[in-house]
Amino acid sequence: MKKPLIAPSLMCMDLTRLEEQIRFFDDKVGYYHVDIMDGHFVRNLTLSPFFVEQVKKIATAPMDCHLMVTNPEQYVGPLAKAGAAMISFHAETANGQAFRLIDNIRQHGMQVGLVLNPETRLDEVALYLNRMDKVTIMTVDPGFAGQPFIPEMLEKVKQFKQFREEHNLKFQIEIDGSCNKKTYKFLLDAGADVLIVGTSGLFNNDSDINKAWAIMQDDINLALMEVEYA
């Protein structure tokens, strides 16, 4: 089984050690996951285009900006200018503008990702999945770190994998929420290509980022073996 790409959730990192941790991650990650929240779509405020601009001064790995905002179209230009490589918008904010929003993101030279809340079904977004580089399935409710995993989402991951195969599509399947040693096996077996790791999967493993990363890798390798020989 192919090893998954890793996307550290930067809202979970120790921001007092930002440069140290970004330099450590930079040749190891598939993406940096940057959560941008507006206090309206979700009841929290986190990172921003300014944060992306500052990280871009250090990072070379691509930044994927997860827009948990009511008006995603307002962020496209600022994030492109800041250096984002991908914008992932929520399906729940795109009704009536999804195709226009996708075109706008691509016209700004970025890749396009789609994020689905746990309640949002595949058939609600099927008409534009062929335009996606990545689909992120939320396995917790959006807005806050450290929430419990929703096991019903494993079937949803399988549905997206099957749809991708049946329609010969290329989007990656990414998981956002409670990716850790308790869930790696099930997520990889269901079809996950990219794992967003935050507090429980990476940063709380150890205060030393080298050790924390090594523990995470061991946990993922064990999960891969369990899936392979199940």
Side-chain angles (χ1 to χ4, degrees):
M1 173 175 281
K2 187 177 179 182
K3 200 167 185 177
L5 295 178
I6 301 300
S9 176
L10 299 191
M11 82 170 188
C12 300
M13 74 189 302
D14 182 350
L15 292 178
T16 66
R17 300 166 61 192
L18 185 146
E19 182 171 359
E20 170 199 344
Q21 295 189 353
I22 292 295
R23 293 196 186 283
F24 173 82
F25 288 141
D26 211 45
D27 62 351
K28 300 175 179 64
V29 304
Y31 304 95
Y32 292 114
H33 185 81
V34 181
D35 286 307
I36 296 177
M37 308 181 194
D38 63 359
H40 296 100
F41 179 67
V42 293
R43 296 170 65 181
N44 198 2
L45 292 166
T46 49
L47 307 177
S48 67
F50 176 75
F51 176 84
V52 173
E53 182 180 6
Q54 299 308 303
V55 173
K56 184 64 177 175
K57 294 176 182 179
I58 311 166
T60 60
M63 276 183 280
D64 171 28
C65 295
H66 174 189
L67 297 185
M68 284 176 269
V69 301
T70 302
N71 301 111
E73 69 281 358
Q74 296 177 359
Y75 290 77
V76 175
L79 285 171
K81 185 177 180 181
M86 178 183 290
I87 285 180
S88 295
F89 64 86
H90 266 263
E92 301 81 18
T93 67
N95 189 34
Q97 67 164 334
F99 293 94
R100 184 170 65 253
L101 181 58
I102 293 165
D103 289 344
N104 188 18
I105 294 169
R106 292 212 182 278
Q107 287 164 5
H108 278 83
M110 295 177 287
Q111 290 187 302
V112 184
L114 179 69
V115 189
L116 290 90
N117 280 350
E119 304 92 333
T120 304
R121 303 186 310 273
L122 186 154
D123 61 4
E124 296 176 62
V125 299
L127 288 177
Y128 53 91
L129 284 178
N130 63 316
R131 298 173 180 238
M132 291 299 139
D133 296 297
K134 182 159 61 66
V135 173
T136 303
I137 296 173
M138 298 291 301
T139 53
V140 299
D141 289 329
F144 296 90
Q147 296 184 75
F149 182 78
I150 301 172
E152 290 86 351
M153 294 303 100
L154 292 171
E155 183 58 34
K156 189 172 179 179
V157 176
K158 294 176 184 177
Q159 291 171 0
F160 272 84
K161 181 181 179 183
Q162 182 178 354
F163 185 93
R164 181 178 65 182
E165 293 172 353
E166 289 176 350
H167 294 83
N168 195 31
L169 302 179
K170 303 296 182 185
F171 60 79
Q172 295 172 314
I173 297 173
E174 180 179 69
I175 307 300
D176 188 357
S178 200
C179 292
N180 55 49
K181 65 181 180 180
K182 295 179 180 179
T183 60
Y184 290 146
K185 174 187 174 183
F186 305 106
L187 293 169
L188 295 171
D189 189 44
D193 305 305
V194 187
L195 301 174
I196 297 171
V197 289
T199 50
S200 65
L202 175 60
F203 294 103
N204 280 358
N205 287 343
D206 197 282
S207 59
D208 182 327
I209 197 61
N210 292 267
K211 294 178 181 177
W213 184 268
I215 291 168
M216 179 202 70
Q217 290 285 10
D218 287 345
D219 290 339
I220 291 174
N221 287 335
L222 178 60
L224 286 165
M225 290 177 60
E226 290 176 343
V227 172
E228 191 75 24
Y229 295 106

